[in-house]
Amino acid sequence: MSDTRAGQSTSSAFEAATYAKITWRLMPLLFVCYVASYLDRVNVGFAKLQMLADLNFSETVYGLGAGVFFIGYFLFEIPSNVILHKVGARLWIARIMLTWGIISGAMIFVSSPTIFYVMRFLLGAAEAGFFPGVILYITYWYPSARRGKITAIFMTAISISGVVGGPLSGWIMHALPGVYGLAGWQWMFIIEAVPSIVLGIVVVFYLQDRIIDAKWLSSEEKELLAKNIANEEATKVDMSFLQVMTHPKIWLMAFNYFCYIMGLYGISFWLPTIIKSTGVTDPLDIGLLTAIPYAAAAVAMILIGRSADKHRERRWHVAIPAVLGSVGLLLSTLYGHNTVLAMAALTLATIGILTTLPLFWSLPTAFLGGAAAAAGIALINSLGNLAGFVSPYLVGWLKDLTHSTDTGMYMLSGSLIVGALLTLAVPKEMVNK
């Protein structure tokens, strides 16, 4: 008996060490890539503080331009993920990063609403496939029981992009207006595009497509990893492309994700504006304040992701943060004229909204396998991210109509409650693994 226990302990230690090795090898680079991705996607929220006055754009024009990114994203998401599944993550992720970095830097040439819309559409088309591609890539290495924490680690990049990007964007727009004849918002787009281009080159030389390609793993480690993935794949559903497109559970997941993304981009594109409405005017101060909610969310995402894996429970770990996010948005409207109280409410909202996202992805990846995973993840992400178009446009339109962001926050709060109810409608035996 003691020999059996010793053998199990040794085997468990070896497995834990192997997964730790993978995590330290792959996740830092993927994490930094997502920081760059998210920063280039939402830094238009900071550009807005100066851009609208410089170019004479209305709030509705800004909201439409911020959101049209997701039309390009939607149209090219599924083809991009299917290509990644066929040609490998290394080359395709590198291609995605290089093209979006170049287009993001070219945002300095925006001079009219039409050019603004075109550039945001092209940026969305270029970036399509990166996020669902990484989610799919993670399933090649980690079984379901380990993906909650890993996906949470990866998606804390959203929080860190706020922690880093807010002060950086604020400082650039505060310090560089007029340098070489460029506005502060133009310098922001140039400087923040550089990391994406550099990282795209690094990906080519650093990532491996599959377990079998990893020369830094021993044969015993590869065998263990491959066995774990094979055992899990045997329990998953593989479907044709047509079956994926018409599967009711996938559409339920897509609508569920749509509700959460409504909240995410309400925060991402409007947080600087909401903070400014409390009486803070300097871009640098606004940038520093935006770091607070994102820093708190980064900690919460890791802790709750770890709890979900430990208890093998997914639905309540998604639904409860969604409700907290809804409450935070409502409180931010009640205390909108008090900077301290509004920041506390926005911090609660950001914690709740961002925590739902990584744990949401433990739901569809628990039952999708093979080519169905590539197409299904892309479909859920692309349909869900249409909320990235709807959310900023509606908030901008409502702000022009009512001269306040309060009505928009009520709408986003309700969306999060609907998302929580949809999550609890998912059968627990399907996802609690």
Side-chain angles (χ1 to χ4, degrees), residues 169-431:
S169 298
W171 176 81
I172 292 170
M173 294 174 62
H174 174 86
L176 298 182
V179 176
Y180 293 108
L182 296 177
W185 60 269
Q186 290 175 308
W187 275 113
M188 184 197 69
F189 282 126
I190 292 171
I191 292 171
E192 293 180 0
V194 172
S196 296
I197 296 172
V198 172
L199 288 167
I201 297 170
V202 172
V203 164
V204 175
F205 297 99
Y206 192 80
L207 279 191
Q208 288 77 41
D209 290 326
R210 299 272 186 169
I211 293 169
I212 195 172
D213 301 318
K215 296 179 180 179
W216 42 272
L217 289 173
S218 69
S219 57
E220 292 82 5
E221 290 168 335
K222 290 181 181 179
E223 182 180 355
L224 168 70
L225 298 171
K227 183 182 72 173
N228 287 347
I229 295 298
N231 289 341
E232 182 169 276
E233 288 297 313
T235 67
K236 291 184 177 181
V237 178
D238 199 1
M239 295 175 274
S240 69
F241 184 78
L242 180 60
Q243 287 174 317
V244 169
M245 296 299 106
T246 57
H247 199 291
K249 288 179 182 176
I250 292 176
W251 282 86
L252 171 64
M253 295 288 180
F255 185 52
N256 194 352
Y257 195 49
F258 181 96
C259 293
Y260 295 144
I261 294 296
M262 285 286 288
L264 172 65
Y265 287 111
I267 287 290
S268 298
F269 288 126
W270 291 95
L271 184 58
T273 300
I274 296 170
I275 293 174
K276 184 178 181 179
S277 70
T278 69
V280 183
T281 56
D282 189 283
L284 179 57
D285 293 336
I286 294 172
L288 292 171
L289 286 174
T290 60
I292 296 172
Y294 285 115
V299 176
M301 290 168 77
I302 297 296
L303 293 178
I304 297 175
R306 184 178 297 167
S307 172
D309 280 351
K310 178 181 178 181
H311 295 96
R312 301 291 180 93
E313 199 289 320
R314 308 297 174 185
R315 301 182 312 148
W316 288 102
H317 280 82
V318 177
I320 291 174
V323 173
L324 292 177
S326 174
V327 171
L329 288 177
L330 289 176
L331 292 176
S332 74
T333 65
L334 294 176
Y335 302 115
H337 300 293
N338 183 309
T339 301
V340 174
L341 293 178
M343 286 302 304
L346 290 169
T347 298
L348 177 63
T350 306
I351 288 172
I353 291 167
L354 293 187
T355 299
T356 64
L357 301 178
L359 293 173
F360 165 84
W361 284 107
S362 64
L363 307 182
T365 56
F367 70 91
L368 289 173
I377 290 169
L379 178 63
I380 293 166
N381 193 59
S382 60
L383 289 172
N385 269 286
L386 285 177
F389 171 78
V390 175
S391 179
Y393 177 70
L394 284 181
V395 174
W397 178 74
L398 289 169
K399 189 172 188 295
D400 275 339
L401 187 68
T402 65
H403 306 291
S404 169
T405 57
D406 288 0
T407 306
M409 294 305 105
Y410 298 150
M411 174 193 67
L412 300 179
S413 177
S415 176
L416 291 170
I417 294 296
V418 173
L421 294 174
L422 289 173
T423 295
L424 294 177
V426 177
K428 65 179 180 180
E429 61 273 10
M430 188 174 82
V431 296

Side-chain angles (χ1 to χ4, degrees), residues 7 27 117 141 317 375:
M27 296 313 298
Y117 301 152
W141 298 83
H317 280 82

